[in-house]
Amino acid sequence: MSYLRIIRAELRKLTSTKMPWAFLAVLVVVAATTATAVVWGTDMDGSKTFISTADDQQSLMAFAANAVVIAGLFGAVAVAREYSYHTVIPTFLAIPRRHRAVLAQYVAVAIGGAAVGLVGAGLTVIAIALTLPTTAFGFLVSANGVVQVLAASAFAGAAGAVLGAGIGAVVRNTGGAVTGAVLVLVIAPPLIIQLASGATSWVPNTLANVLSGVGHDVSTPTALVAIATWAAVPAAAGLVTVIRRDVA
Amino acid sequence: MSAAEVGTTSPGHAGPGPPGESPLVLAVDHLTKRYGSNTVVDDLSFRVEPGRVTGFLGPNGSGKSTTMKMLLGLAAAESGTATIGGQRYRDLADPARTVGAALESNAFHPGRTGRNHLRILADAVGFSTTRVDETIELVGLAHAADRNAGAYSLGMKQRLGLAAALLGDPPVLVLDEPGNGLDPQGVRTLRDQLRASAASGNTVLVSSHLLAEVEHLADDVVVINEGRLVASGALEDMQHAAALVRTPDVDQLVSALSDSGATTEHHERETVVVRGLSLEEVGERAFRAGVVIHELSAQAGSLEELFLGWTSTETPTQGGPPEPEPSRP
């Protein structure tokens, strides 16, 4: 049996419901919000300093941090719903060696998460490019800067989706998995920073900004490894859980 | 163990199969499963033979679905084995082409079409889209294949589950309550398909609460209660396994049979139904005890009567507490 076929089946699962459209709608809302900020937003002093330089504009279009969270929810829902709807039963009947099915699911979800990140970043870049002419500033970010933003968002989206998928595999309940992903990606990082200020450099938001070229807390390779580790730990926990537990 | 269990186990259908047995034999051997302190399957052993439809019966919560899940590698056993042709499900070379299973009538994403549900399974194991279309036709779901499964009736969901099971044209079918929600035409079609499958030499294991339907469908039955085997064997033999005895000395007859392993039910004033002994054995024991017998004949019982007798904890049994017959390997 070709492993690519299993991945293709998992990709068909992701694309054969309305879930991608729901996430696309979220990405459009985020891009529209950014566009609104460009047109009507100001700094505290009423100026538009926040879009006055290439670095400022790249910070505004750095979607990777959002990509981790949104793709995290995507991965959590994609996997947990398999258990909620019992569709995991025909999956495990077709592929009884569960680790193969779970790893294929992680690959498919990573591809989906990368797409979420890429599309989200792309829409944000387009929104900024379209709305900057309404201001006194032009589009200042270099092509390399845009590419870095897109690549960072794709990677962060893939990592976030795998992280969410791992949580979904452990929790096996859609509501619980979404809650878990929000806890890990949104609520826990500030609490961790409160407890240990040195951890600031290692939370997903900071690491994603490093990948986008708008943060310099750690090196880019270090950020890649660290954000991959954030994904790998829950993914491994999910894999072990699925292999060990009975299928309800 | 209740007295109702006695004498109903068909020994020829229990115990593990020998190494190298038919690849289509399902063998459950001393299988036990616990959830916490609750034993849901308790030292269960039976065999399901190819070429026959086997009904898997038991009250709600008796352990049927758990047993099927262990057979299909979805749940781990505490002890014992459940194999298909001597192999665990996960060790089969090509499980999707060997075993077709339908366990949950709701194992679909409600926002996914029936056709896409099947395409996903076909993708995973390398079946063609043509085969998907053929299977949809086979189960009579062509008119609704492109509608979301969430809009399906229970009967349509059952058809979709059956389509998933039949996708690989497997020689072994394991179906959990496949007739639930089907209209009479659907029940008839299902019965015909399963009978035809068994007639072609395939193995068919079907759990069901529809006893009348099982009576029409099954060649063999396996009955469990509280996780334990209470009966297995050829349905026709079981239905004729009881002896009807008419005697003016009911108490004396019951006493004479009390140590035989038989169960006795006092139906009418002078009539006793005896299970677990042949007509000859009943006659000989009555003769030795000096019991006058006015009639001794085989009694045909409905599956429902038998089922209730096997699974009821309070049966009208009047005989002593006999021991169950051992299963024949």
Side-chain angles (χ1 to χ4, degrees), chain A:
Chain A
M1 184 188 304
S2 164
Y3 200 65
L4 289 176
R5 283 204 295 251
I6 304 176
I7 295 172
R8 190 170 74 175
E10 293 298 330
L11 285 171
R12 194 188 287 277
K13 282 183 189 172
L14 296 180
T15 56
S16 58
T17 67
K18 290 178 179 169
M19 187 177 77
W21 297 105
F23 277 89
L24 179 61
V26 171
L27 299 179
V28 168
V29 168
V30 172
T33 304
T34 305
T36 303
V38 171
V39 175
W40 286 292
T42 61
D43 285 302
M44 296 291 284
D45 59 2
S47 71
K48 281 193 172 284
T49 309
F50 73 99
I51 53 170
S52 61
T53 68
D55 285 348
D56 290 333
Q57 290 183 8
Q58 189 161 339
S59 290
L60 189 62
M61 66 179 64
F63 186 79
N66 290 333
V68 175
V69 175
I70 296 172
L73 296 175
F74 173 84
V77 172
V79 171
R81 67 179 183 167
E82 290 275 298
Y83 296 90
S84 297
Y85 294 123
H86 305 292
T87 48
V88 74
I89 290 177
T91 298
F92 288 155
L93 288 174
I95 309 151
R97 293 187 180 278
R98 295 183 201 170
H99 67 278
R100 289 169 61 84
V102 172
L103 291 175
Q105 196 167 39
Y106 286 168
V107 171
V109 163
I111 293 169
V116 166
L118 196 58
V119 171
L123 288 174
T124 302
V125 170
I126 290 168
I128 291 170
L130 290 176
T131 51
L132 276 174
T134 67
T135 70
F137 303 98
F139 192 92
L140 303 174
V141 180
S142 67
N144 283 345
V146 171
V147 169
Q148 185 172 8
V149 164
L150 295 176
S153 298
F155 182 82
V162 173
L163 182 154
I167 293 171
V170 171
V171 178
R172 303 203 293 187
N173 167 281
T174 306
V178 168
T179 304
V182 169
L183 276 173
V184 170
L185 291 171
V186 179
I187 296 175
L191 294 176
I192 292 170
I193 292 169
Q194 287 280 330
L195 293 170
S197 58
T200 306
S201 304
W202 304 102
V203 297
N205 187 59
T206 307
L207 296 167
N209 283 336
V210 170
L211 296 182
S212 297
V214 297
H216 305 284
D217 296 64
V218 295
S219 68
T220 300
T222 303
L224 284 169
V225 171
I227 212 162
T229 304
W230 271 87
V233 171
L239 179 63
V240 171
T241 302
V242 171
I243 290 171
R244 287 189 174 179
R245 273 192 200 158
D246 290 349
V247 180

Side-chain angles (χ1 to χ4, degrees), chain B residues 47-121:
Chain B
R47 285 164 61 85
V48 179
E49 302 289 344
R52 302 176 73 79
V53 176
T54 300
F56 192 25
L57 309 177
N60 289 335
S62 59
K64 301 187 300 294
S65 295
T66 303
T67 301
M68 287 179 153
K69 284 183 176 176
M70 287 191 282
L71 178 68
L72 298 169
L74 297 172
E78 240 70 41
S79 61
T81 59
T83 57
I84 297 156
Q87 289 185 293
R88 292 182 305 171
Y89 183 80
R90 69 193 303 266
D91 294 331
L92 292 172
D94 194 351
R97 287 181 176 80
T98 307
V99 182
L103 298 186
E104 294 272 351
S105 61
N106 269 324
F108 320 111
H109 189 291
R112 186 177 287 140
T113 67
R115 190 184 304 280
N116 273 333
H117 176 76
L118 296 177
R119 278 183 177 166
I120 287 165
L121 300 177

Side-chain angles (χ1 to χ4, degrees), chain B residues 191-229:
Chain B
R191 184 197 310 158
D192 291 347
Q193 286 172 341
L194 298 183
R195 293 284 342 150
S197 182
S200 65
N202 293 343
T203 305
V204 181
L205 176 65
V206 182
S207 83
S208 180
H209 284 105
L210 306 174
L211 297 178
E213 180 52 32
V214 172
E215 207 158 16
H216 284 104
L217 173 68
D219 302 301
D220 299 329
V221 293
V222 173
V223 186
I224 66 174
N225 190 28
E226 297 177 347
R228 306 188 71 178
L229 183 73

